[in-house]
Amino acid sequence: MGEIPSSEEEFKAQMREIENKINSSKDFFSTLNENKLTPQGIAEIIDVKKYDELTKDFEPIQYLVSFERRSEVFYALEYIDELKAETYEDYIDSGSDFLSVEEYESEKKEKIYSELFDISGTITRIMEGDNISIRHEDLQYSLGWQRQMPVKLIDMKHITFENRLNGHLGGMENEANNKLICEIISGNPTGADIKALREIRDGYGWPRYGLNQRVWAEVDLNTPDDILFDSFKKFVTEARGLSVFQDDSIPYSSFSDGVVKSSHINKWYSLRLLAYFDLKIISTVTNTKLTMKNYGDILFYDDYDVDTTEKVRKTVIPMANEVMGSGYLNNLLKKVLSEI
């Protein structure tokens, strides 16, 4: 798989392989649902000692990839719950009525199985007892990282590309302005062109939609560091206050949420956060009810000095919710990139 088919026969063979995998995933998840695990059974799958050993030297970038993969699973499971909860009446009320009841139910099942198929790899890794190691296929979570660099050098070719990209996000929606800017760059502007250029609003070319909040700045590298850094802090505050970023209908603030502190990496390890996430995932897909006490007993089997149930409730769950909350993983990515 992964190769472009060179003939109709190869294409059909690939489709059969995909169908077989989907059917296999259906059988796999049906088996999981039919054979509920006990908390003890789940504890045997999630070997906390092994998690400790494999993550003791984890770097932030390894945690980032691990969190991203689990975030994908949680998103799929949440969507599956939404699909299961939706009724045919809800479907009709939404304005869609071109499917019969039977067709609707069939399509809903296929959507659910499709989501399960997408996360079956991670579920299998959990069941096999190795959802910690970073594998080649996990590199997919690094796609597009270069665009998230908090600070980077740019030149004219980058500006041209970024402006074109931002045009799709509402940054360069005015064709007359675009033509005028090209005239200026071409080196043959008229006095009227210069006058018109000055009338273009500040921030033209920056993204206005989506979740990116980027501006460009000129930096004088001859400035002493202490003055430069103080000036930059002031610049950032002023830039965030620009009117273009004050539109409440545009959720710019989403990526500012979720502050990643240096102390967090130690908490991820000491709270056994990856093991907690996998416990939550496997208990969900097997329809196994885990109580707070179950989580505490499994995660902190070796902690005899505290109430492990309260430890889960007061420290593990808030930290887990923060990691999977709005903007946290994006900010973790930026922190990782800034330290490379």
Side-chain angles (χ1 to χ4, degrees):
M1 292 300 294
E3 297 181 357
I4 298 175
S6 58
S7 66
E8 183 179 355
E9 288 72 22
E10 284 190 16
F11 175 75
K12 289 181 178 179
Q14 286 189 2
M15 292 303 100
R16 284 194 297 271
E17 184 177 346
I18 291 174
E19 184 178 1
N20 289 335
K21 286 184 176 180
I22 291 176
N23 288 332
S24 296
S25 69
K26 291 179 182 178
D27 295 338
F28 173 61
F29 283 100
S30 295
T31 301
L32 287 179
N33 279 314
E34 291 168 1
N35 297 278
K36 286 188 178 181
L37 296 172
T38 63
Q40 180 60 36
I42 289 181
E44 291 177 4
I45 295 171
I46 309 297
D47 185 346
V48 175
K49 290 182 181 178
K50 185 175 181 180
Y51 277 68
D52 283 351
E53 179 63 27
L54 292 176
T55 60
K56 65 181 180 181
D57 297 318
F58 251 33
E59 297 291 337
I61 191 170
Q62 291 170 289
Y63 272 113
L64 174 61
V65 170
S66 299
F67 289 153
E68 288 281 10
R69 186 152 51 80
R70 287 160 176 82
S71 174
E72 185 178 72
V73 174
F74 287 129
Y75 179 84
L77 292 175
E78 184 177 336
Y79 180 50
I80 288 170
D81 284 342
E82 291 175 2
L83 288 172
K84 288 180 177 178
E86 186 185 63
T87 65
Y88 185 69
E89 288 71 24
D90 295 330
Y91 169 74
I92 295 297
D93 290 342
S94 69
S96 303
D97 59 357
F98 53 88
L99 294 179
S100 66
V101 176
E102 293 76 14
E103 290 171 331
Y104 165 77
E105 292 297 337
S106 176
E107 183 179 90
K108 185 164 81 168
K109 285 183 180 179
E110 288 305 313
K111 285 182 179 179
I112 291 173
Y113 283 131
S114 177
E115 291 296 321
L116 291 173
F117 173 69
D118 288 342
I119 63 175
S120 59
T122 295
I123 305 302
T124 300
R125 286 165 68 167
I126 295 176
M127 298 299 292
E128 291 175 347
D130 183 14
N131 196 31
I132 295 296
S133 302
I134 305 298
R135 303 183 185 180
H136 179 75
E137 60 262 30
D138 295 328
L139 294 178
Q140 63 177 301
Y141 300 103
S142 66
L143 296 177
W145 280 9
Q146 66 274 15
R147 281 198 45 76
Q148 296 299 327
M149 289 289 291
V151 179
K152 61 183 177 183
L153 285 173
I154 60 174
D155 56 18
M156 200 60 208
K157 66 177 182 292
H158 288 99
I159 291 173
T160 302
F161 177 78
E162 291 289 335
N163 270 328
R164 187 63 256 160
L165 178 65
N166 290 345
H168 296 297
L169 299 174
M172 295 190 72
E173 70 282 3
N174 189 304
E175 289 298 327
N177 285 351
N178 297 345
K179 184 176 180 180
L180 174 62
I181 291 170
C182 289
E183 288 290 337
I184 299 294
I185 294 174
S186 71
N188 298 306
T190 65
D193 290 337
I194 300 298
K195 182 176 182 297
L197 182 70
R198 291 172 177 167
E199 294 174 354
I200 295 177
R201 64 169 174 78
D202 291 340
Y204 187 75
W206 297 338
R208 303 190 67 196
Y209 304 109
L211 295 174
N212 242 336
Q213 192 170 358
R214 290 180 175 270
V215 299
W216 297 307
E218 181 180 84
V219 179
D220 182 357
L221 295 179
N222 290 321
T223 305
D225 285 357
D226 58 337
I227 299 175
L228 187 63
F229 295 155
D230 286 342
S231 298
F232 185 73
K233 289 179 181 179
K234 181 181 179 182
F235 159 76
V236 169
T237 300
E238 292 176 349
R240 285 176 172 160
L242 292 173
S243 59
V244 69
F245 296 130
Q246 300 308 306
D247 186 346
D248 292 336
S249 67
I250 303 173
Y252 283 118
S253 62
S254 294
F255 273 17
S256 298
D257 295 339
V259 177
V260 181
K261 300 178 181 178
S262 298
S263 61
H264 282 187
I265 188 169
N266 292 327
K267 287 186 178 180
W268 301 333
Y269 180 77
S270 65
L271 295 178
R272 292 163 171 163
L273 209 56
L274 291 179
Y276 168 76
F277 285 141
D278 288 351
L279 282 170
K280 189 174 180 181
I281 290 170
I282 206 65
S283 65
T284 300
V285 298
T286 60
N287 286 322
T288 303
K289 174 68 175 177
L290 289 183
T291 64
M292 291 282 188
K293 185 178 187 307
N294 292 147
Y295 278 111
D297 290 343
I298 296 172
L299 290 172
F300 306 113
Y301 65 92
D302 55 349
D303 198 337
Y304 308 106
D305 299 326
V306 299
D307 184 334
T308 57
T309 301
E310 285 299 287
K311 186 172 183 178
V312 170
R313 186 174 69 85
K314 291 183 177 180
T315 59
V316 176
I317 292 178
M319 184 79 259
N321 290 341
E322 186 172 1
V323 168
M324 292 298 165
S326 172
Y328 190 94
L329 293 183
N330 185 268
N331 285 339
L332 175 56
L333 168 58
K334 291 178 180 179
K335 182 175 178 62
V336 167
L337 293 175
S338 69
E339 295 175 353
I340 291 178

